[in-house]
Amino acid sequence: MRRILTAAAFLLLCVLFLTGCRTNLTDNPDGTAAPDGNRGAETGQQETSQTEEPPSASPRFVLAEFGAPITYQGRFPVDEAASAELNRQIPLDRAALESRAVDRVPDNRPIVWLQTEDGRQACVYRDNGQCLLEWDGLLCDGTDLVDVDALCAFLEEAQLEAVLADFPGVTELALEQFDYYDDPENTSRRSGVELDEAQSREVLALLQTDRWSVADMFTAQELSRGWADILSLRYNGELYGKVTSGEVAGEMRTVIFYYIGGDADQCANLLAPAEVFDDLYAYIGSG
C-alpha cells in the first residue's frame, strides 16, 4: 500500500512540474499569452507584402525624336515628367494592342521614335491614312488611340525644354562665310572671337533664348538647304550650335541648329527672331 501511495505522489509531482513548464513557455508573467515566433514572422511577411507596390507597367522613356519622317539625328533626352505624359498620350498595354495587330510593313520611316531605358522602342507611323503604332516588336492600328498632332506638339515643347536645360552659354563665337563662286579650294572664310565673362553675357543677351521655338516637322525639312553664313556657338571648345539666317515659311528668321550635349546626333532645329543673327553678326564684326 505504501508503495502505491509513493508512486501516486511521484506521478502527481511530475504532472505539476510539466504544467508549470508549459505555463512559463506560453504565458508572460502578467498572464498574457507569449508571442508565437512563427506567427510573428508570418504577420511580418504579410505586412511587408501589403506595403510593396507592384512594378509599374508604364515604360520609362529616355530618348525621343519626331520628324516627317525622322532622320535619327534629332534625338533628345526625355525627363520623367515628359515620359509620364508620353505614356498618357500613347497607351502601350501590349495585351490590348495584340487585338489590333496588323500584318504589313509601313511604307515610310516613323514620324515619332521613342526609346526606353531598357532599350525598347516605340514608333508612330502615318501610313495610308492610318496611324500605325509599333511597340516592342508589335505593329498595330493606333488610329483611334494616338492623336498624332497633339503628340508632335508636345514633343516640340519637350525638345525646347531639353535644349534650354542643356545650353551652357557661349565662350567662343566664330563666323564661317561660304562663297560657292570662289576657287573650289578656297570656298569659305572663317573668323572668330573668344569671349571673356562680360562678353559672354552680352552674347547670351543677344541670343534671346526666351524667344526660341522649335521648328515643326514640316518646317524642319525646309531647313536642310545650304546656308551662306554660319555662326558657331562654342563653350570651352565644344560646338553647341550653328546660327544662320534666311527666309523660312515666308518670313525672315534666325535659324539655330543646336547640338544637345554637343552631340551631332542630337540636333534640334530652332527658330528665333531675325535680329538675333544680325546682332551676332555685327558683334563679331566689331570684335
Side-chain angles (χ1 to χ4, degrees), residues 265-282:
D265 286 336
Q266 299 191 50
C267 181
N269 300 307
L270 308 175
L271 299 176
E275 67 266 19
V276 170
F277 179 82
D278 295 336
D279 292 344
L280 291 174
Y281 191 98

Side-chain angles (χ1 to χ4, degrees), residues 190-229:
R190 296 177 177 85
S191 57
V193 57
E194 293 187 4
L195 309 174
D196 59 26
E197 188 174 344
Q199 291 172 321
S200 181
R201 288 195 298 268
E202 291 174 357
V203 169
L204 186 61
L206 294 176
L207 282 169
Q208 300 187 50
T209 56
D210 59 327
R211 299 182 67 186
W212 289 3
S213 61
V214 172
D216 62 52
M217 63 172 66
F218 304 105
T219 303
Q221 290 182 315
E222 186 179 341
L223 305 182
S224 62
R225 66 177 186 260
W227 302 89
D229 298 331

Side-chain angles (χ1 to χ4, degrees), residues 4-280:
I4 295 173
L5 291 175
T6 301
F10 177 76
L11 291 173
L12 179 60
L13 288 173
C14 289
V15 170
L16 291 174
F17 176 76
L18 292 173
T19 303
C21 289
R22 184 177 180 183
T23 301
N24 289 335
L25 289 172
T26 59
D27 295 339
N28 288 320
D30 60 0
T32 60
D36 186 331
N38 291 331
R39 185 180 303 167
E42 292 173 359
T43 303
Q45 291 174 355
Q46 290 175 355
E47 292 175 354
T48 301
S49 63
Q50 289 175 355
T51 57
E52 289 179 353
E53 296 182 359
S56 174
S58 300
R60 169 68 171 91
F61 294 111
V62 293
L63 287 174
E65 183 179 351
F66 64 99
I70 64 169
T71 63
Y72 299 103
Q73 293 181 327
R75 296 171 294 174
F76 61 93
V78 173
D79 61 21
E80 290 189 11
S83 177
E85 176 61 19
L86 288 170
N87 274 290
R88 189 189 70 79
Q89 294 202 27
I90 308 177
L92 294 177
D93 183 343
R94 186 177 179 87
L97 295 179
E98 285 178 347
S99 63
R100 297 169 166 267
V102 295
D103 185 18
R104 75 171 189 266
V105 178
D107 294 335
N108 301 304
R109 285 177 293 174
I111 61 173
V112 172
W113 171 89
L114 305 169
Q115 181 173 305
T116 65
E117 59 185 351
D118 58 5
R120 292 181 294 169
Q121 297 179 4
C123 297
V124 175
Y125 300 81
R126 272 185 170 148
D127 187 75
N128 296 322
Q130 278 186 304
C131 167
L132 297 182
L133 175 60
E134 184 177 12
W135 166 239
D136 200 17
L138 177 67
L139 183 67
C140 67
D141 182 0
T143 306
D144 60 342
L145 290 179
V146 180
D147 185 334
V148 179
D149 293 331
L151 174 62
C152 290
F154 169 72
L155 289 172
E156 290 176 19
E157 298 175 4
Q159 187 179 53
L160 181 58
E161 290 180 5
V163 166
L164 295 177
D166 177 76
F167 184 48
V170 185
T171 59
E172 181 184 350
L173 190 62
L175 174 63
E176 186 170 7
Q177 296 174 298
F178 291 87
D179 188 346
Y180 298 101
Y181 299 100
D182 281 352
D183 185 282
E185 296 181 358
N186 183 24
T187 59
S188 64
R189 297 179 296 276
R190 296 177 177 85
S191 57
V193 57
E194 293 187 4
L195 309 174
D196 59 26
E197 188 174 344
Q199 291 172 321
S200 181
R201 288 195 298 268
E202 291 174 357
V203 169
L204 186 61
L206 294 176
L207 282 169
Q208 300 187 50
T209 56
D210 59 327
R211 299 182 67 186
W212 289 3
S213 61
V214 172
D216 62 52
M217 63 172 66
F218 304 105
T219 303
Q221 290 182 315
E222 186 179 341
L223 305 182
S224 62
R225 66 177 186 260
W227 302 89
D229 298 331
I230 294 179
L231 284 160
S232 297
L233 307 177
R234 296 180 182 270
Y235 185 82
N236 293 339
E238 190 81 37
L239 177 65
Y240 272 83
K242 294 184 176 181
V243 185
T244 187
S245 177
E247 186 175 310
V248 179
E251 181 182 358
M252 288 299 296
R253 303 293 300 272
T254 294
V255 180
I256 304 169
F257 302 101
Y258 184 88
Y259 304 113
I260 300 175
D263 186 348
D265 286 336
Q266 299 191 50
C267 181
N269 300 307
L270 308 175
L271 299 176
E275 67 266 19
V276 170
F277 179 82
D278 295 336
D279 292 344
L280 291 174

